[in-house]
């Protein structure tokens, strides 16, 4: 039954942004209006579309008289029930979204940067004004991961999330693995296909994934986690030898958004939360290892549900618009019923795990001027000085030689000269790894900063 407010009334939507995702969102609302009305219980239509340059909008399904440059007014108009924010960035998006919420409009957004920075403030604002704030498309595009964390798994305890949430970096690493391209060539291929921007810094240095990690952590652990709380490492230091060595060990390298709840080893109590983005070595048997190209996937571990995997298109106009319109339908249904949906509870305080508490297996790669046995021994002595059990791994060349010749002693590598040494440490704390890397950099024979890759079993 329709609420009194919406009886015999059409739900009207204000759309902010008419770019790739915005135009596809408008198309779905217009072309599927009858189907959406049947699902909602009320008619739905566009009330206006705000953009900077209306003359450049090339979408025949958007009526020209709906286009406006007065975005602020569209957010507060009396005849607008739902505002969709697809302009991106922090400002003026933050101002527009908050204004819409304060004027009693439900909001749907795909803006990961906005939520990673201002999420807790906006969640509280929506709650206090009795409206909805939905954002399925802000993490992993069309993949339904936000709603399962907000609703489906709310009765469980999540302990760990590993996500491939940036299609650009996954495409680059996959091209390096499958086609043997170097980093620069794989990046160019990604740009040619439209998977990477002209300036790919936000993707390859991990900042895009970091925004999504903050959102995932907030939802998983019911605590306010912002982008400033996320530790970030990108993939620009990964080279072809790293890829080849990983392949020889039946692993692949993936950029992961990692959200983990740690236990205090002595008391078995809550030891804090770590929220990170880093390149990792993923074993071939792990579900994330088979995620290829620009696809995204999110692996969730929960106490009762155990292992869950969410996989699909993480970007693109139509896939992302699908998630946006799904949120619009949910918000519209709530309006029909005269209520708001569940908000985002944040009753826990964010306590970051210490670098002593976060433990894992690590592979550390040192570039060296000379890889002769005596100088490699200097490297291994650093690990011994820190009391860490360490195993020198075969280089990519040695591993390939062992596979073809059945012998682990590659005569070429045994000659020394410029190269790298890879060392595996097991169940080591991040604090110890950081200290080891600092001492390795002090060695004359080590060139530059060592590369650290976590091992995901």
């Amino acid at each position: 039954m329709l609420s009194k407010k919406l009886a015999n009334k059409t739900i009207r939507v204000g759309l902010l942004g008419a770019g790739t995702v915005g135009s596809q969102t408008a198309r779905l609302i217009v072309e599927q209006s009858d189907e959406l009305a049947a699902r909602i219980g009320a008619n739905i239509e566009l009330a206006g579309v705000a953009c900077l340059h209306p003359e450049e909008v090339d979408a025949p399904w958007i009526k020209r008289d709906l286009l406006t440059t007065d975005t602020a007014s569209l957010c507060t108009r009396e005849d607008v029930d739902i505002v969709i924010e697809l302009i991106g960035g922090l400002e003026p998006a933050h101002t527009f979204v908050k204004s819409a919420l304060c004027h009693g409009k439900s909001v749907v957004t795909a803006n990961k940067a906005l939520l990673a920075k201002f999420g807790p403030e906006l969640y509280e604002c929506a709650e206090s004004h009795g409206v909805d704030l939905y954002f399925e498309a802000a993490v992993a595009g069309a993949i339904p991961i936000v709603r399962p964390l907000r609703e489906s798994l709310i009765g469980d305890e999540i302990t760990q999330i590993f996500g491939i949430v940036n299609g650009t970096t996954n495409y680059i690493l996959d091209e390096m693995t499958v086609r043997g391209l170097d980093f620069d060539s794989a990046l160019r291929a990604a740009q040619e296909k439209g998977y990477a921007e002209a300036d790919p810094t936000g993707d390859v240095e991990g900042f895009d994934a970091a925004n999504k990690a903050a959102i995932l952590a907030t939802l998983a652990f019911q605590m306010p986690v912002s982008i400033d709380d996320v530790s970030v490492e990108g993939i620009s230091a990964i080279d072809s030898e790293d890829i080849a060595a990983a392949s020889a060990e039946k692993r692949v390298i993936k950029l992961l958004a990692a959200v983990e709840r740690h236990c205090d080893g002595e008391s078995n109590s809550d030891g804090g939360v770590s929220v990170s983005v880093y390149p990792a070595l993923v074993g071939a048997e792990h579900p994330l290892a088979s995620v290829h190209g620009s696809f995204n996937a999110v692996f969730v571990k929960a106490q009762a549900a155990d292992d869950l995997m969410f996989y699909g298109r993480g970007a693109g106009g139509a896939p992302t618009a699908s998630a946006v319109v799904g949120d619009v339908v949910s918000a519209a249904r709530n309006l029909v019923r005269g209520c708001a949906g569940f908000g985002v509870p944040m009753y826990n305080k964010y306590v970051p795990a210490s670098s002593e508490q976060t433990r894992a297996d690590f592979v550390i790669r040192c570039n060296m001027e000379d890889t002769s046995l005596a100088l490699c021994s200097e490297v291994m002595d650093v690990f011994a000085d820190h009391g860490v059990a360490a195993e020198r791994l075969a280089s990519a060349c040695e591993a390939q030689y062992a596979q073809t010749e059945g012998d682990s002693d590659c005569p070429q590598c045994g000659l020394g000269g410029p190269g790298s040494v890879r060392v595996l440490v097991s169940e080591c704390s991040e604090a110890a790894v950081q200290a080891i890397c600092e001492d390795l950099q002090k060695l004359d024979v080590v060139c530059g900063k060592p590369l650290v890759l976590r091992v995901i079993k």
Side-chain angles (χ1 to χ4, degrees), residues 173-257:
L173 292 171
D174 197 51
E175 289 290 282
M176 293 174 73
T177 301
V178 175
R179 296 180 58 196
L181 301 182
D182 59 30
F183 178 86
D184 291 337
S185 298
L187 173 57
R188 283 195 299 273
Q191 290 170 325
E192 289 169 1
K193 288 184 175 291
Y195 296 149
E197 303 289 342
D199 179 3
T201 304
D203 292 318
V204 301
E205 297 303 337
F207 302 125
D208 173 79
N211 284 316
K212 298 167 185 177
I215 297 170
L216 291 172
T218 297
L219 297 175
F221 302 136
Q222 296 79 46
M223 60 180 60
V225 179
S226 81
I227 184 63
D228 300 325
D229 300 315
V230 184
S231 171
V232 187
E233 302 171 38
I235 65 167
S236 57
I238 304 296
D239 62 26
S240 299
E241 287 204 18
D242 296 318
I243 297 290
S247 297
E249 295 161 5
K250 295 183 171 52
R251 296 179 176 132
V252 293
I253 299 177
K254 299 290 186 182
L255 183 72
L256 300 182

Side-chain angles (χ1 to χ4, degrees), residues 357-444:
Q357 291 172 323
T358 52
R359 305 181 69 84
D361 293 356
F362 296 87
V363 170
I364 300 173
R365 184 252 287 165
C366 296
N367 290 337
M368 300 178 62
E369 296 176 354
D370 189 340
T371 57
S372 60
L373 185 59
L375 295 177
C376 287
S377 295
E378 286 188 34
V379 169
M380 299 306 293
D381 286 344
V382 172
F383 292 88
D385 291 343
H386 284 269
V388 173
E391 173 191 355
R392 182 186 171 189
L393 299 176
S395 67
C397 176
E398 289 171 322
Q400 182 63 34
Y401 184 82
Q403 286 183 335
T404 56
E405 302 293 331
D407 186 347
S408 61
D409 297 323
C410 172
Q412 180 179 346
C413 292
L415 297 176
S420 63
V421 170
R422 301 172 66 253
V423 181
L424 170 67
V425 293
S426 301
E427 282 302 307
C428 188
S429 70
E430 284 191 351
V433 170
Q434 291 166 5
I436 288 168
C437 289
E438 288 175 3
D439 285 350
L440 287 171
Q441 284 184 265
K442 297 175 183 177
L443 297 179
D444 292 337

Side-chain angles (χ1 to χ4, degrees), residues 15 20-30 84 86 320-321 324-325:
L15 175 61
T20 301
V21 178
S23 64
Q24 288 300 308
T25 297
R27 181 181 65 81
L28 292 178
I29 292 174
V30 171
I84 305 174
L86 297 174
T320 305
V324 171
V325 175

Side-chain angles (χ1 to χ4, degrees), residues 310-369:
F310 302 83
Y311 169 85
R313 290 287 181 187
T320 305
S322 170
V324 171
V325 175
D327 280 347
V328 171
V329 170
S330 295
R333 281 174 167 174
N334 291 338
L335 286 171
V336 168
R337 295 170 59 214
C339 67
F342 294 107
V344 179
M346 289 176 291
Y347 52 85
N348 289 321
K349 180 182 178 182
Y350 169 62
V351 178
S354 71
S355 58
E356 290 285 353
Q357 291 172 323
T358 52
R359 305 181 69 84
D361 293 356
F362 296 87
V363 170
I364 300 173
R365 184 252 287 165
C366 296
N367 290 337
M368 300 178 62
E369 296 176 354

Side-chain angles (χ1 to χ4, degrees), residues 41-64:
N43 292 322
I44 185 168
E45 68 179 26
L46 290 174
V49 179
C51 56
L52 290 176
H53 303 287
E55 71 280 0
E56 296 179 3
V57 175
D58 184 20
W61 49 84
I62 299 178
K63 295 179 180 178
R64 307 308 296 181

Side-chain angles (χ1 to χ4, degrees), residues 124-143:
E124 183 178 345
C125 184
E127 185 81 18
S128 65
H129 287 87
V131 294
D132 288 317
L133 174 57
Y134 287 134
F135 48 93
E136 185 65 68
V139 180
I143 301 173

